[in-house]
Amino acid sequence: MTEPTVSAHRQIWRENGLSEGIRVVPEETALAMSYGASTHAVMMGTPQDLEDFAVGFSLTEGIIDNVDGIESLEVVPQDEGIELRMWLSGTEAARQSERRRHIAGPTGCGLCGIDSIAEAMRPVALVGTGITVTPAQIMTAMQALYPLQKLNTLTRAVHAAAFWDPERGILECREDVGRHNALDKLAGALARNRIDGASGAVLLTSRVSVEMVQKTAVIGASLIVSVSAPTALAIRMAERAGITLCAIARSDGFEIFTYPNRVKTDDAAIHVA
């Protein structure tokens, strides 16, 4: 199986001159999602946690309704990539055959191959009541995420998505060169381990675009916290889904864009900045 990192030779330029050395960089591999005898999508991603990726992609793309919709899953190395070969149960297989299409997706492409505006803007899943947290809990959760990013510590070139439970802390963390892939891997890990997405929050190290909100809604989490800013469409989608969207989470605080009622503070007044 392909390793997730490679040691690359490099020349290093600094003000005091040139030197040589080795840098660990993330691997990027073609990952083909196959259902039955046909390829549905080819994405570029990091070759680790591939079973999670296959399950999570299938869930967030609406190919299956739950993890039991996949009857078998096999990771098959190919000459120039890896095939994630799945066989679906009868109902899901019939539905997949109706919407089958071929997609070629570059790294980080979350809506690759969508062939209509209506499909790209499909109705988002609605989350439930969800969790209530304090600002201190959010800050603690994000601080706990950084030590878990083992691949990024080595390469400084990958994204992470994690699931945080207020009672138990971070339960799962997945990394990938593609931010959508990292979130799909997280979705798959939660489904395979039978962890209820409604019990916690999704933590992201990337910007929040609309498909990141859509995928979180499928997971069922009522709270997203990210280190980067959201897009305007992501904010509108979070409103529709009932998701509390916190972003620009740094060491000195964060910003709440939707449903601030889930973040409980003791402040008597809100100052407009």
Side-chain angles (χ1 to χ4, degrees), residues 5 145-155 158 173 175:
T5 61
L145 174 58
Y146 300 117
L148 300 179
Q149 298 176 59
K150 296 180 180 179
L151 190 56
N152 193 56
T153 298
L154 289 173
T155 65
V158 299
C173 179
E175 296 179 279

Side-chain angles (χ1 to χ4, degrees), residues 131 133 137-146 148-149 159-166 169-175 179 182-183 186 190 200-208 212 216 219 221 223-228 244 246 249:
I131 61 174
V133 297
Q137 285 179 304
I138 289 177
M139 298 296 290
T140 299
M142 294 305 289
Q143 290 170 3
L145 174 58
Y146 300 117
L148 300 179
Q149 298 176 59
H159 299 289
F163 184 78
W164 171 79
D165 182 289
I170 294 178
L171 302 183
E172 300 287 350
C173 179
R174 295 294 183 270
E175 296 179 279
R179 55 197 172 92
L183 186 51
L186 177 66
L190 297 177
V202 167
L203 312 180
L204 302 172
T205 62
S206 62
R207 69 181 173 89
V208 186
M212 303 296 276
T216 298
I219 289 172
L223 173 62
I224 297 173
V225 184
S226 179
V227 300
S228 296
T244 297
C246 298

